[in-house]
């Protein structure tokens, strides 16, 4: 049965100034746009629904981590992220309370960030042993690229001095080769948190649905998981069969050295694999991104344990990265690679260029993720290869001053996540919040990409602001295209799914400051209101 929705509708896509009165929907898809009189006359038996607010396409999170986020943001983990607890005293108080209440059971916490929560101690194994005693404790860095653990947690995870470093990851060790209590990068962190992930399995169905509903309330109708474990597929398929998924879920399998591509399945419009993810380098907040320039020598970098003139390194050499990525690309999958430092970006582009040339690829849409220190010349090179970019512009909101004053200076830190340069190079760029790392706030992403201003009002001394049209495209039509979903979502047009949101202000005409505060009143998926 056809339903005609009326209101102040912004279809967006190419002409953001376009506004229509009504939208007709049948069987979950848009069949017509026009005036109320036209559509009511064309569909005389249709139900009419009046929408209270401004209507626009549902937002798309092209780089999320909903599976991990549903656990890390749940009751199973102590939330100490800077957006929740801004100071060191609060973090230590929360951890002390958690250990006292644990009665010997393991404590897992997420969100440690000494750059924003100034005054935190060095959480090595000796400090954590003294802090928690025989209670296993694991504290995950806010970036997700490192985790700190005590001796009891190491024993619980089956890790000791003889445990080999996983490919692309490592366990910090002291001068005697003993564990120092720090795991760096995804594979090592995953080993440390394995007991927590195991205990979370029984809760995962309800945790994941609750998290996806939270994304829906924030206006997100499609989310991509960039660290998906295919072992979760039966769970999702069961929830999908029950009609319990409130968003469309796209996913990227985590690559492994020696891994092989899974066969391509059917293109289910709600749940399907898009590609494969790997990591070229790490996080700027812990000193392990591969750059041609050093970190500054500041109190903040000394607090991170970085020596003067420190330069981070890549997780893999170019040849190692090529060996990991090529089998997946040869299997027909899109590649997505985390790369912050300019050297990591060069290495990844070298790998992509070899694969593209060797396999004569055309519409591959290989991705670069985050792109913190990516230069204008690198954006241009990527565009010439058909490589697409997704920028973590919300870094500016929370760490803008840190990037400039503490880590990299005005030249390199000031131009961080230069979305304007990406668009100038011809990219259909996208923005993201990276799961739990920053709050899922797509409207704030758009605003900060326009203003390049932090939450305290500091204006970044470099980089290029984007236009409103570019900002809106980044989390709608561009993100749909990046996920090979432009035939389904990303705009309000005949033939596309009726995934739309109702917001409290006109997203086209309000100021950047007001855009950041946009409130989502209702979210619709395939024309049905998501509760």
């Amino acid at each position: 049965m056809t339903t005609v929705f009326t209101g102040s509708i912004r279809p967006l896509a190419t002409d953001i100034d376009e506004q229509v009165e009504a939208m007709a929907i049948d069987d979950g898809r848009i069949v017509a746009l026009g005036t109320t009189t036209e559509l009511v006359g064309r569909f005389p038996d249709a139900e009419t629904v009046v929408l209270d607010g401004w209507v626009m396409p549902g937002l798309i999170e092209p780089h999320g981590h909903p599976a991990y986020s549903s656990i890390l943001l749940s009751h199973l983990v102590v939330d100490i992220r800077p957006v929740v607890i801004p100071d060191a005293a609060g973090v230590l108080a929360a951890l002390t309370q958690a250990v006292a209440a644990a009665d010997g059971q393991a404590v897992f916490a997420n969100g440690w960030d000494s750059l924003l929560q100034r005054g935190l101690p060095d959480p090595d194994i000796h400090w954590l042993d003294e802090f928690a005693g025989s209670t296993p404790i694991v504290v995950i860095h806010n970036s997700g690229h490192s985790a700190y653990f005590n001796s009891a947690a190491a024993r619980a995870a089956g890790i000791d001095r003889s445990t080999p470093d996983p490919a692309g990851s490592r366990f910090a060790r002291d001068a005697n080769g003993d564990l120092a209590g720090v795991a760096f990068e995804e594979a090592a962190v995953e080993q440390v948190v394995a007991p927590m992930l195991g205990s979370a399995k029984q809760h995962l169905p309800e945790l994941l649905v609750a998290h996806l509903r939270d994304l829906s309330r924030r206006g997100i109708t499609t989310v991509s998981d960039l660290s998906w474990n295919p072992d979760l597929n039966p769970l999702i398929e069961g929830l999908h069969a029950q009609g319990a998924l409130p968003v469309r879920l796209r996913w990227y399998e985590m690559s492994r050295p020696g891994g092989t591509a899974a066969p391509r399945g059917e293109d289910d419009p709600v749940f399907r694999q898009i590609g494969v993810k790997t990591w070229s380098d790490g996080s700027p907040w812990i000193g392990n991104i591969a750059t041609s320039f050093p970190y500054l020598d500041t109190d903040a970098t000394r607090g991170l344990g970085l020596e003067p003139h420190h330069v981070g390194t890549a997780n893999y050499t170019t040849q190692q990265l090529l060996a990991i990525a090529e089998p997946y690309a040869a299997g027909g999958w899109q590649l997505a690679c985390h790369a912050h430092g300019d050297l990591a970006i060069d290495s990844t582009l070298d790998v992509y260029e070899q694969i593209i040339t060797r396999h004569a690829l055309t519409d591959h849409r290989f991705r670069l993720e985050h792109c913190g220190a990516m230069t204008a010349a690198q954006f241009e090179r990527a565009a010439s290869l058909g490589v697409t970019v997704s920028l973590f512009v919300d870094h500016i909101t929370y760490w803008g001053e840190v990037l400039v004053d503490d880590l990299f200076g005005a030249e390199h830190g000031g131009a961080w996540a230069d979305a304007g340069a990406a668009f100038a190079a011809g990219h259909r760029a996208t923005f993201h919040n990276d799961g739990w790392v920053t709050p899922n706030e797509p409207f704030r992403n758009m605003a900060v990409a326009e203003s390049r201003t932090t939450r305290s009002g500091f204006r970044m001394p470099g980089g290029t602001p984007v236009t409103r049209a570019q900002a809106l495209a980044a989390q709608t039509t561009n993100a749909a295209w990046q996920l090979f979903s432009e035939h389904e979502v990303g705009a309000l047009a005949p033939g596309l799914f009726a995934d739309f949101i109702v917001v409290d202000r006109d997203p086209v005409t309000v100021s950047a400051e007001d855009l950041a505060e946009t409130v989502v009143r209702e979210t619709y998926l395939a024309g049905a209101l998501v509760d």
Side-chain angles (χ1 to χ4, degrees):
M1 179 179 174
T2 303
T3 303
V4 173
F5 290 88
T6 67
S8 301
I9 300 172
R10 293 288 196 186
L12 297 179
T14 55
D15 180 8
I16 68 166
D17 292 320
E18 181 184 5
Q19 183 177 341
V20 299
E21 293 180 341
M23 175 172 58
I25 295 169
D26 190 19
D27 194 25
R29 291 184 183 265
I30 300 166
V31 294
L33 299 171
T35 67
T36 303
T37 301
E38 289 171 346
L39 296 193
V40 170
R42 181 175 168 184
F43 304 101
D45 297 327
E47 176 188 4
T48 300
V49 176
V50 179
L51 299 169
D52 180 20
W54 288 85
V55 183
M56 63 177 290
L59 304 175
I60 299 172
E61 168 57 278
H63 183 127
H65 299 279
Y68 278 131
S69 296
S70 67
I71 298 170
L72 292 178
L73 300 178
S74 75
H75 66 281
L76 302 175
V77 178
V78 182
D79 192 350
I80 58 169
R81 292 175 299 153
V83 296
V84 176
I85 303 177
D87 58 77
V91 169
L92 297 177
L95 292 177
T96 299
Q97 182 178 2
V99 170
D103 194 25
Q105 297 299 306
V107 171
F108 292 88
N110 175 61
W112 185 279
D113 188 338
S114 62
L115 291 170
L116 295 183
Q117 298 156 326
R118 296 297 173 99
L120 287 172
D122 177 13
D124 66 8
I125 200 166
H126 304 295
W127 184 83
L128 285 171
D129 281 348
E130 182 177 350
F131 183 84
S134 60
T135 299
I137 185 169
V138 176
V139 181
I140 304 168
H141 190 272
N142 191 55
S143 67
H145 284 262
S146 65
Y148 314 106
F149 55 92
N150 69 349
S151 298
R155 289 191 293 272
I159 300 168
D160 58 30
R161 63 174 290 146
S162 66
T163 301
D165 289 340
S169 304
R170 67 184 176 91
F171 296 104
R173 304 171 194 273
D174 63 20
N176 297 320
D178 293 320
L179 293 173
V182 189
F184 289 102
E185 294 306 315
E186 183 271 330
V189 171
E190 193 172 86
Q191 285 187 241
V192 173
V193 302
M196 183 264 289
L197 296 178
S199 65
K201 286 183 178 178
Q202 62 180 313
H203 304 286
L204 194 53
E206 60 266 31
L207 294 180
L208 185 54
V209 170
H211 179 67
L212 294 178
R213 287 192 175 279
D214 179 68
L215 296 182
S216 176
R217 286 190 290 270
R218 295 169 185 267
I220 295 169
T221 52
T222 297
V223 60
S224 182
D225 194 311
L226 272 285
S227 56
W228 187 255
N229 183 345
D231 291 344
L232 296 178
N233 286 8
L235 166 63
I236 293 296
E237 289 161 358
L239 294 172
H240 181 16
Q242 299 168 25
L245 294 179
V247 300
R248 303 185 193 279
L249 182 57
R250 306 288 182 260
W251 59 276
Y252 291 72
E253 181 179 350
M254 290 184 287
S255 66
R256 290 288 186 265
T260 57
R264 296 194 69 91
E266 296 183 4
D267 282 350
D268 186 288
V270 175
F271 173 68
R272 67 172 181 265
Q273 183 175 1
I274 300 297
V276 176
K277 163 80 177 299
T278 193
W279 289 259
S280 185
D281 64 356
S283 168
W285 321 133
I286 59 175
N288 65 338
I289 65 171
T291 59
S292 62
F293 50 88
Y295 278 73
L296 301 177
D297 182 14
T298 63
D299 289 342
T301 55
R302 293 290 182 97
L304 294 176
L306 307 183
E307 296 295 329
H309 312 296
H310 171 83
V311 177
T313 59
N315 295 335
Y316 304 102
T317 67
T318 300
Q319 287 306 308
Q320 288 172 334
L321 190 60
L322 176 63
I324 293 169
E326 186 160 27
Y328 296 106
W333 292 111
Q334 182 193 36
L335 300 176
C337 188
H338 168 120
H340 263 307
D342 58 335
L343 294 184
I345 289 163
D346 276 340
S347 177
T348 306
L349 289 175
D350 288 345
V351 168
Y352 283 172
E353 185 168 11
Q354 291 183 63
I355 293 173
I356 292 164
T357 302
R358 188 174 299 164
H359 297 277
L361 301 179
T362 53
D363 190 22
H364 51 81
R365 307 184 199 179
F366 288 174
R367 296 176 52 168
L368 282 169
E369 307 302 306
H370 308 324
C371 310
M374 193 164 178
T375 66
Q378 289 177 321
F379 282 120
E380 291 171 2
R381 181 188 176 197
S384 72
L385 293 171
V387 173
T388 179
V389 296
S390 188
L391 290 92
F392 199 164
V393 293
D394 216 17
H395 272 180
I396 295 170
T397 302
Y398 298 97
W399 291 274
E401 292 93 337
V402 168
L403 285 161
V404 174
D405 298 334
D406 297 314
L407 300 185
F408 302 121
E411 179 183 357
H412 300 294
W416 196 260
D418 193 349
F423 280 103
H427 283 284
R428 301 176 69 170
T430 67
F431 307 150
H432 60 259
N433 286 112
D434 201 17
W436 66 87
V437 178
T438 59
N440 286 282
E441 45 189 12
F443 285 106
R444 190 170 301 280
N445 288 346
M446 301 178 209
V448 73
E450 280 190 39
S451 69
R452 296 192 62 80
T453 301
T454 71
R455 56 181 173 172
S456 65
F458 174 74
R459 179 69 177 264
M460 299 293 278
T464 311
V466 304
T467 67
R468 180 60 52 85
Q470 291 168 339
L472 288 165
Q475 301 228 216
T476 55
T477 184
N478 287 4
W481 174 84
Q482 195 170 69
L483 297 175
F484 285 90
S485 297
E486 70 271 22
H487 61 293
E488 300 167 312
V489 297
L492 303 179
L496 301 185
F497 283 112
D499 296 357
F500 62 92
I501 58 177
V502 183
V503 297
D504 68 338
R505 63 200 71 188
D506 181 1
V508 173
T509 61
V510 297
S511 67
E513 183 179 34
D514 285 342
L515 182 67
E517 303 299 328
T518 298
V519 174
V520 178
R521 292 177 174 171
E522 293 179 326
T523 301
Y524 287 78
L525 192 72
L529 179 65
V530 181
D531 295 330

